[in-house]
Amino acid sequence: MAGLRVGILGATGAVGTELLQLLEERSLPLEELRLLASPRSAGQQLPFAGETLPVVEVSEDAFQGLDLVLASAGGSVSRQWLPIAVAAGAVAVDNSSAYRMDGAVPLVVPEVNPEDLAHHQGIIANPNCTTILMTVALWPLHRVRPIQRIVAATYQSASGAGSRAMAEMKDQAIAILQDRPPPTDIFPYPLAFNLFPHNSPLNEQGYCQEEMKMVQETRKIFHAPDLRVSATCVRVPVLRAHSESLNIEFQTPFPVEEARTLLGQAPGVRFVEDWQRNYFPMPMEASGQDDVLVGRIRQDISHPCGLELWLSGDQIRKGAALNAIQIAEVLLEKNLLG
Ligand code: NAP
């Protein structure tokens, strides 16, 4: 394939903006880049590679001639438009949750299960951001000795809810510092100087949707339908990059030094540990980085076959846009586009 004709659906959002930046930075050969969004932002001009490109309202015709569509405009928008994009001849990589658990749709983290791309039928799903960060960090261990159980606690930044949520948290911080009531149009409660359990819908067992995504998507990506996973997801007043505390249990003891060596060599992982300085991964240092920062690995003192670890990762980048671009790179390399 000579040059790729690429469309970004949701180009004006948090993930869309990062997709644009990554397309500038990385080496996908672009012949055309089409920026699609809702009528709200149609007509805007966005900077790209020293030029500006117009944002166009998504429509039936908008996908004609495209090889690849990178979608980051939410689940209902993906459901409405991706079948049309695929019918027009494009392959779509979707950042929303719309198709993730569809049996016919590969759910891919390129460091973990790139081989699943071979079976795509036009749509490929990018996993949930917390799941991507967790699977990048745990796969190097799981592939050596299968994990039996994961207990995760997440510390999720405002940007996980999109660009308007980031702006709202800044406004909340200013309002609180000025003794005014903080605005809560996007979030249900103030996030600045506060935290709350993830505000996605709860199921009858008391788990929220975000937590169940970590359970179900990890099983699908690892091809481990019986893997036991339990998560508690929390929004914290961090602007960008999520963190996770992971307790993992194996069948037999997993020596800490072996885990450290494996993670030190793992693709997509950067080891960050300085025990003298109490220096470990932090969201501020993970922001803008491709790698998931992993550290603070230690033996679980409550279980002989358990390990504890801590990570921070940029969920807009590796948790969404970068993962999608890496998928596109594999598709191109393996001749799986078009
Ligand atoms: P966002 O900042 O709110 O951006 C949403 C984008 O979708 C905007 O470009 C918006 O365009 C567009 N859009 C909304 N409704 C549309 C419609 N009816 N037709 C066409 N375009 C429409 O959201 P985001 O954080 O980038 O998230 C986008 C998707 O990625 C979501 O499915 C989200 O769950 C997923 N995701 C997000 C993250 C993250 O960390 N933020 C991580 C992983 C996955 P307008 O400018 O026209 O409104």
Side-chain angles (χ1 to χ4, degrees), residues 4 17 36 53-54 62 106 117 124 133 143 146 165 169 194 206 209 244 246 259 287 293 298 314:
L4 279 182
T17 305
L36 309 173
L53 294 176
L117 289 172
I124 293 138
L133 303 179
R143 66 200 293 267
M169 195 182 78
N194 193 23
Q209 215 169 60
E244 301 178 17
L246 304 176
S287 293
L293 310 187
R298 60 208 189 278
D314 187 325

Side-chain angles (χ1 to χ4, degrees), residues 253-265:
F254 200 131
V256 173
E257 274 318 313
E258 187 186 341
R260 197 169 271 129
T261 304
L262 287 167
L263 284 164
Q265 301 161 349

Side-chain angles (χ1 to χ4, degrees), residues 201-209 211-212 231:
L202 296 163
N203 69 13
E204 63 289 347
Q205 295 165 299
Y207 282 81
C208 72
Q209 215 169 60
E211 292 161 352
M212 291 313 294

Side-chain angles (χ1 to χ4, degrees), residues 56-80:
V56 178
E57 179 181 348
V58 62
S59 68
E60 299 252 345
D61 298 334
F63 302 101
Q64 288 302 326
L66 293 180
D67 303 304
L68 174 71
V69 171
L70 303 167
S72 60
S76 57
V77 180
S78 286
R79 276 208 183 84
Q80 181 180 0

Side-chain angles (χ1 to χ4, degrees), residues 15-313:
V15 176
T17 305
E18 199 67 23
L19 283 166
L20 273 166
Q21 197 174 322
L22 283 159
L23 284 172
E24 274 194 22
E25 286 172 23
R26 295 177 75 96
S27 55
L28 275 180
L30 285 187
E31 187 179 315
E32 184 191 339
L33 182 56
R34 224 174 278 173
L35 308 184
L36 309 173
S38 81
R40 283 182 296 275
S41 48
Q44 269 185 34
Q45 299 280 330
L46 296 182
F48 181 76
E51 296 176 30
T52 55
L53 294 176
V55 177
V56 178
E57 179 181 348
V58 62
S59 68
E60 299 252 345
D61 298 334
F63 302 101
Q64 288 302 326
L66 293 180
D67 303 304
L68 174 71
V69 171
L70 303 167
S72 60
S76 57
V77 180
S78 286
R79 276 208 183 84
Q80 181 180 0
W81 293 107
L82 294 193
I84 294 169
V86 172
V91 173
V93 183
D94 184 24
N95 274 293
S96 84
S97 59
Y99 295 98
R100 287 181 192 149
M101 295 314 295
D102 183 327
V105 173
L107 181 67
V108 174
V109 177
E111 289 85 348
V112 178
N113 60 335
E115 64 283 354
D116 289 351
L117 289 172
H119 312 294
H120 84 78
Q121 295 170 24
I123 297 177
I124 293 138
N126 226 25
N128 171 258
C129 49
T130 48
T131 310
I132 292 179
L133 303 179
M134 180 167 87
T135 52
V136 167
L138 295 189
W139 179 249
L141 308 180
H142 180 76
R143 66 200 293 267
V144 174
R145 285 175 217 189
I147 295 171
Q148 307 291 303
R149 179 168 181 251
I150 303 168
V151 180
T154 71
Y155 303 69
Q156 300 186 217
S157 61
S159 54
S163 48
R164 289 171 62 222
M166 259 167 124
E168 178 167 283
M169 195 182 78
K170 288 183 189 169
D171 292 343
Q172 289 175 347
I174 293 166
I176 290 170
L177 289 171
Q178 295 174 344
D179 285 329
R180 285 186 288 111
T184 49
D185 297 325
I186 312 289
F187 287 124
Y189 313 107
L191 185 57
F193 304 105
N194 193 23
L195 55 81
F196 47 82
H198 198 280
N199 50 303
S200 51
L202 296 163
N203 69 13
E204 63 289 347
Q205 295 165 299
Y207 282 81
C208 72
Q209 215 169 60
E210 184 85 351
E211 292 161 352
M212 291 313 294
K213 286 176 185 173
M214 293 183 79
V215 175
Q216 289 153 352
E217 294 180 21
T218 304
R219 289 175 177 161
K220 180 169 175 179
I221 296 162
F222 280 7
H223 296 277
D226 299 325
L227 179 61
R228 287 178 289 150
V229 184
S230 178
T232 300
C233 292
V234 179
R235 289 208 189 275
V236 297
V238 166
L239 268 177
R240 182 166 168 149
H242 291 352
S243 300
E244 301 178 17
S245 163
L246 304 176
N247 179 278
I248 40 179
E249 194 182 312
F250 301 86
Q251 189 91 49
T252 53
F254 200 131
V256 173
E257 274 318 313
E258 187 186 341
R260 197 169 271 129
T261 304
L262 287 167
L263 284 164
Q265 301 161 349
V269 170
R270 178 142 58 85
F271 216 68
V272 176
E273 272 193 352
D274 183 340
W275 293 84
Q276 300 291 324
R277 290 196 299 135
N278 217 328
Y279 171 71
F280 301 107
M282 287 181 271
M284 217 177 242
E285 294 195 348
S287 293
Q289 303 294 315
D290 288 354
D291 288 336
V292 179
L293 310 187
V294 180
R296 208 155 178 249
I297 297 185
R298 60 208 189 278
Q299 170 71 47
D300 175 355
I301 54 167
S302 74
H303 196 295
C305 304
L307 289 179
E308 296 274 4
L309 64 85
W310 170 255
L311 66 81
S312 295

